[in-house]
Every structure is written in structure tokens, then in C-alpha cells.
Amino acid sequence: AQKVTQAQTEISVVEKEDVTLDCVYETRDTTYYLFWYKQPPSGELVFLIRRNSFDEQNEISGRYSWNFQKSTSSFNFTITASQVVDSAVYFCALSEAGNAGNMLTFGGGTRLMVKP
Amino acid sequence: DTGVSQDPRHKITKRGQNVTFRCDPISEHNRLYWYRQTLGQGPEFLTYFQNEAQLEKSRLLSDRFSAERPKGSFSTLEIQRTEQGDSAMYLCASSSGRLETQYFGPGTRLLVL
């Protein structure tokens, strides 16, 4: 069965600090996809990134970077020089290619509060 | 390209009433998903459609929940005889294929009094 764990329920930082959100996953499938979504107070889930299990290259997009390590089953997300607009709940999610429905399994989310 | 839209955005109802939510996916997306999110939790998968076919519904929470996508475009999620425990955010997502990224709508917040 697939499972995603986000151990940090809430993180508070001061603007311009770097912050890393942790994500650990479990799956028996050899082909799977990992995602990060952002949920601002408005409620809509905003897609941030998707990685497949065969691509362990780290990725950087502006102030965002992602570190995928299959050896530790982790897919961590770092925000550099955080801003107040980064305040939101962030979800890590997993889908297995072997699952016909390709439904997403989400972690419990990490609430990030960036204070000015 | 417009995103996924959901209607209504908010719904307050009394226990025992029926409610119906609508989701309009991104045009030409053949897959449509429904999720439920309770306070402080991550979204939980309910059901999905490929075109008009509902291919997975075992995760619907009870037989009071049903979903349709009659013409393979918009979808409706109905909850009959609502209970206070049904209070949650109901999210819809769509994708262009089985292994493609799911894009979410703004959700419908349901409050059952």
C-alpha cells in the first residue's frame, strides 16, 4: 500500500530564512510519481512539481528546489529566502503507475507560516 | 486554457438534506477525480472517471455518495441524507491521461448543521 508522511505539521520562519519541508513515502511499485502541491488560504491546490521514480536529478525553480533520494524514500522541498506569500499548507503526494486509477495519496500536509 | 471550476464554492445545509456539487474539468481532459479533504488533513481519493465511465468507486465513503459524468465533460457529486460528518472540502481534479498531472479546482466547502 502506498503511504506519504509529512512529519512536520507546522513550521514558522521569519522572512528571508530558508526552509525545508520533509516528505517520506512508501510504495511497492517500481514506477511511481511524486508531487508537491501548495494550498493557500483560498483552498485551491496549486501544482508545483512532479518527478518520476527514474529521475533522481534535483530540480530548482527560482527560489524552490527539490531533493529526491530513492535510497531514503524522501522527496524534500526547500524554499530559499522565504517570503510572506509562501505562507500556505504544502502537500506531498504519490501515485503508482501500476494503479489503474492513478489516484494520488497525500501526506497530512505541512503548514508554513512566514512572518515579516 | 481555463482551469478546473467547481460550483458552488460554499454550501451550508441541514442534516438529512441532499446536496449536489458540480465540477467542470479543463477542456479535453478525459480524466476527472473527486477527493475529500477534512480539516487539517490531506485530500482523500473518492472516485474517478475516464470519459463518462466511472472506473473506481469503491472508495466512496458510503452508499449515500454517488457521482456521475454523463457526457464525459462535467461531473456531479451527490450526497444524500447528509450527516454532520460529511462536512469537508470536496475537491475535483482533472488530467489529460492516466499518468498525467492532476490539476485541482477551488473546491466546494460543505457545512452540515
Side-chain angles (χ1 to χ4, degrees):
Chain A
Q2 53 189 26
K3 184 179 178 182
V4 176
T5 302
Q6 294 179 253
Q8 307 149 306
T9 55
E10 199 167 293
I11 299 176
S12 179
V13 299
V14 177
E15 207 171 18
K16 297 184 182 176
E17 285 185 13
D18 299 347
V19 58
T20 296
L21 310 182
D22 297 334
C23 172
V24 173
Y25 62 91
E26 296 177 28
T27 177
R28 293 180 182 174
D29 216 331
T30 55
T31 303
Y32 52 90
Y33 302 86
L34 295 164
F35 303 81
W36 277 94
Y37 287 85
K38 174 182 179 180
Q39 189 173 44
S42 60
E44 182 169 351
L45 279 167
V46 178
F47 166 73
L48 296 177
I49 189 170
R50 159 198 167 108
R51 306 296 286 175
N52 73 54
S53 52
F54 298 108
D55 184 0
E56 285 193 73
Q57 274 194 331
N58 292 332
E59 181 153 341
I60 299 175
S61 175
R63 295 184 297 106
Y64 295 171
S65 62
W66 291 269
N67 183 319
F68 176 27
Q69 292 195 344
K70 285 178 76 170
S71 60
T72 55
S73 297
S74 65
F75 186 42
N76 296 337
F77 173 28
T78 297
I79 302 174
T80 302
S82 59
Q83 299 176 2
V84 173
V85 293
D86 296 327
S87 297
V89 181
Y90 291 86
F91 290 97
C92 181
L94 164 73
S95 70
E96 296 174 330
N99 185 305
N102 196 40
M103 66 279 291
L104 294 169
T105 295
F106 286 84
T110 297
R111 179 177 300 278
L112 174 64
M113 293 179 291
V114 181
K115 299 177 181 177
Chain B
D1 214 9
T2 57
V4 178
S5 61
Q6 292 186 245
D7 184 69
R9 295 290 307 277
H10 303 272
K11 178 71 177 179
I12 300 174
T13 191
K14 292 182 179 178
R15 186 164 50 95
Q17 298 294 305
N18 298 344
V19 294
T20 300
F21 310 140
R22 175 179 171 126
C23 171
D24 287 86
I26 293 171
S27 60
E28 298 181 359
H29 275 194
N30 60 8
R31 285 213 163 196
L32 187 148
Y33 300 79
W34 285 100
Y35 292 81
R36 184 181 83 152
Q37 184 179 20
T38 54
L39 203 60
Q41 304 295 318
E44 171 191 21
F45 169 80
L46 295 178
T47 189
Y48 86 98
F49 293 85
Q50 178 161 313
N51 299 312
E52 66 275 7
Q54 188 175 13
L55 299 183
E56 170 63 66
K57 52 183 177 180
S58 65
R59 306 277 191 99
L60 285 168
L61 301 162
S62 79
D63 57 7
R64 297 185 296 106
F65 286 71
S66 63
E68 293 184 341
R69 194 183 184 196
K71 297 181 180 180
S73 56
F74 73 91
S75 175
T76 57
L77 178 69
E78 181 182 17
I79 309 174
Q80 295 182 329
R81 305 180 302 281
T82 53
E83 302 173 356
Q84 289 184 326
D86 297 332
S87 296
M89 171 85 94
Y90 291 85
L91 293 161
C92 176
S94 70
S95 71
S96 58
R98 184 172 84 84
L99 299 179
E100 300 304 316
T101 297
Q102 295 177 33
Y103 294 92
F104 284 80
T108 295
R109 291 185 189 271
L110 172 66
L111 177 61
V112 181
L113 301 176

